[in-house]
């Protein structure tokens, strides 16, 4: 027997320099007298950015304890369906946060608690919320880029309110010492472990009683249906797409020059403005009065100069797509020499700070100049009134840089250079994002096609809502269909533009929704599964069409009674009949058994 625990969140202060502080889970496993044979392993999405740590141990002698500790919440951003299965398979959930990191707590409350509540909607899993650390009141922050938000702590009432929302147990652990770890946190956790073991033992006994053999003739055994094919998701290549945009230089609309105009470094205003208020100011997306930070205005004026002949409209509806890039002169020669490395850092997702620091140090070979350039980079990427330096940001904040910032430019005319006309409406967009994220659009806007030199591009074959959902995925790398039919429409659009990962996400959504549908609802629903099968086949969704055929065969008694069953082709009907569940053999055995029971004039306790 085993107990599965899933832990989310970081108990460390996001701005603390003590990265060696042991985690709450590791501290408990190492100190509890009930734990033995501890083993741990690390899973990572890329080097230096761990996704989770898995701990395995024994508790109460022979009970296997499996703990997955997720220090960041990335899984809810990148793979919603995996996170749902993770929570659904947990026996106990632990949510941790530092009482001195108000920014992370606010993000947890606003962004992730609603997702956790949705995932827990059909589960009765105990949740423990652990507020960790002693509140640092009255201590001023020495960082020049921080604001008063850093001085505030997460109050007890805020933690209690969060626990009420999740129907969780709230604990405050001022330090990770023996008292708080073993007696306080450990006592509550071990109580829920015992509760989970009691529940599993009870369920096991019930199953055992059900399977006890009758001394009379037994009914036929119903075999399990065939396992349906498993559809695996595709890893995100969002950051790689935007990074490749820098090297291919397609749709570049800004060029940086040194003061002697000898060389040029091309970039894209939409990408630069999505990560920097300074570039928003430089390209007139925002005015100085909107910035509320005089230092950003001063740096923009001292570091960059836009050539007088260049214009900076916030909406480029009246400009042809062949307008040459805006020319920007970089006044600082040292900074200009490092600009390719800085742009590489920005386009790659702005999480490789150490690599940027190393590249600039090697190029300049001067500590003072290196520090000078790095300080300017920090200041350029500063968010007024909120963010600290890029180097000190939490990893989950950095990874979501593009996802959250490019969303600001989704379906807005700001910096737009293409307008889609669909169902009598117009939808503004940005060629750079479309070219980076969609190969079909990259060919369309850079080849010998009419769209390459047109601002107004008509779209046929999809609805406006579906096309907006498609564009939202390109901008944010996220997709949230409202229904199975909407997911199928989005899948068709993704197949039309050859965005395979979005197509797989829609397939997973359809499969997940159908799997969670009870038999009674499946029998009464007006949704045509055969129609979904036909569309999946027509649009080359082989994985989904194969899964739907297995789904129809597995629920044969339901679908065989529906009129749509007659719409199956001969080949499809043969497949369903071959793999149907329950099988004809079982139904014949069941009829024979019922006739035998009736002939014996006795009542079977099982049937």
């Amino acid at each position: 027997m085993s107990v599965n625990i899933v832990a989310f969140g970081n108990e460390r202060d996001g701005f603390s320099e003590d990265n060696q502080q042991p985690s709450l889970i590791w501290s408990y496993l190492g100190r509890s007298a009930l734990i033995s044979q501890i083993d741990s392993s690390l899973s990572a999405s890329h080097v230096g950015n761990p996704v989770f740590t898995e701990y395995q141990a024994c508790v109460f002698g022979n009970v296997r304890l499996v703990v997955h500790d997720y220090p960041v919440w990335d899984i809810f951003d990148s793979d919603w369906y995996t996170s749902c299965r993770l929570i659904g398979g947990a026996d106990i959930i632990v949510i941790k946060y530092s009482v001195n990191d108000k920014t992370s707590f606010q993000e947890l409350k606003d962004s992730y608690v609603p997702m956790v509540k949705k995932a827990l909607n059909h589960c009765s899993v105990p949740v423990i919320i652990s507020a960790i650390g002693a509140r640092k009141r009255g201590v001023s922050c020495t960082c020049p880029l921080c604001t008063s938000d850093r001085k505030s702590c997460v109050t007890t009432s805020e933690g209690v309110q969060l626990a009420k929302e999740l129907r969780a147990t709230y604990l405050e652990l001022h330090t990770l010492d023996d008292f708080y770890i073993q007696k306080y946190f450990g006592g509550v956790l071990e109580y829920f472990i015992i509760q989970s073991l009691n529940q599993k033992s009870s369920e096991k006994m019930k199953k055992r009683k059900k399977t006890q053999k009758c001394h009379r003739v037994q009914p036929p055994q119903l075999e399990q249906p065939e396992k349906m094919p498993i559809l695996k998701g595709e890893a995100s290549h969002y950051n790689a797409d935007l990074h490749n945009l820098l090297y291919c230089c397609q749709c570049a609309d800004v060029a940086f020059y040194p003061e002697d105009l000898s060389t040029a470094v091309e970039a894209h205003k939409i990408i630069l403005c999505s990560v920097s208020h300074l570039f928003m100011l430089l390209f007139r997306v925002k005015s100085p009065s909107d910035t509320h930070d005089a230092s950003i205005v001063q740096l923009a004026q001292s570091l960059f100069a836009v050539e007088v002949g260049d214009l900076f409209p916030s909406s480029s509806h009246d400009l042809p797509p062949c307008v040459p890039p805006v020319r920007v002169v970089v006044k600082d020669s040292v900074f200009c020499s490092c600009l390719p490395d800085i742009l590489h850092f920005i386009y790659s997702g702005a999480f490789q700070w150490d690599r940027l620091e190393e590249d600039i140090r090697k190029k300049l070979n001067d500590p003072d100049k290196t520090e000078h350039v790095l300080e300017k980079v920090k200041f350029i990427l500063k968010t007024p009134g909120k963010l600290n330096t890029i180097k000190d940001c939490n990893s989950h904040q950095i990874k979501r840089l593009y996802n959250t910032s490019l969303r600001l430019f989704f379906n807005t005319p700001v910096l737009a250079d293409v307008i889609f006309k669909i169902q009598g409406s117009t939808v503004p967009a940005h060629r750079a994002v479309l070219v980076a994220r969609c190969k079909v659009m990259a060919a369309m806007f850079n080849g010998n096609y009419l769209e390459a030199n047109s601002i107004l591009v008509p779209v046929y074959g999809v609805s406006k809502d579906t096309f907006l959902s498609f564009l939202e995925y390109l901008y944010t790398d996220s997709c949230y269909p409202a229904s199975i039919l909407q997911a199928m429409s989005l899948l068709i659009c993704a197949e039309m533009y050859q965005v395979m990962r979005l197509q797989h996400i829609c397939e997973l959504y359809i499969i997940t929704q159908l799997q969670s549908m009870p038999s009674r609802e499946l029998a009464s629903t007006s949704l045509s599964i055969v129609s979904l099968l036909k569309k999946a086949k027509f649009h080359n969704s082989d994985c989904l069409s194969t899964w739907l055929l297995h789904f129809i065969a597995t629920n044969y008694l339901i679908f065989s009674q529906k009129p749509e069953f007659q719409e199956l082709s001969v080949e499809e009907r043969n497949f369903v009949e071959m793999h149907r569940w329950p099988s004809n053999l079982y139904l014949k055995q069941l009829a024979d058994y019922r006739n035998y029971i009736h002939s014996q004039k006795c009542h079977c306790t099982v049937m």
Side-chain angles (χ1 to χ4, degrees), residues 11-12 21-25 27-28 31 131-133 173-182 185:
E11 57 271 52
R12 300 185 182 93
Q21 176 188 351
S23 67
L24 172 64
I25 299 299
S27 298
Y28 167 72
R31 297 183 184 185
I132 300 172
L173 312 177
H174 298 306
T175 59
L176 298 183
D177 58 13
D178 289 339
F179 172 77
Y180 284 104
I181 292 294
Q182 290 183 261
F185 174 77

Side-chain angles (χ1 to χ4, degrees), residues 148-162:
S148 57
D149 286 347
R150 282 284 312 278
K151 298 178 183 178
S152 59
C153 301
V154 183
T155 63
T156 301
S157 60
E158 290 175 318
V160 171
Q161 182 61 35
L162 180 65

Side-chain angles (χ1 to χ4, degrees), residues 485-530:
L485 291 178
Q486 185 182 4
M488 178 55 75
S489 299
L490 191 54
L491 182 149
I492 294 171
C493 184
E495 191 268 340
M496 186 190 329
Y497 288 100
Q498 293 297 294
V499 182
M500 304 309 296
R501 182 171 182 267
L502 177 59
Q503 190 172 348
H504 292 157
I505 290 175
C506 294
E507 291 173 340
L508 279 172
Y509 177 87
I510 294 172
I511 290 172
T512 303
Q513 293 299 308
L514 290 177
Q515 281 180 328
S516 63
M517 193 176 291
S519 298
R520 182 174 297 178
E521 183 180 351
L522 196 61
S524 61
T525 182
S526 60
L527 179 68
S528 174
I529 306 301
V530 176

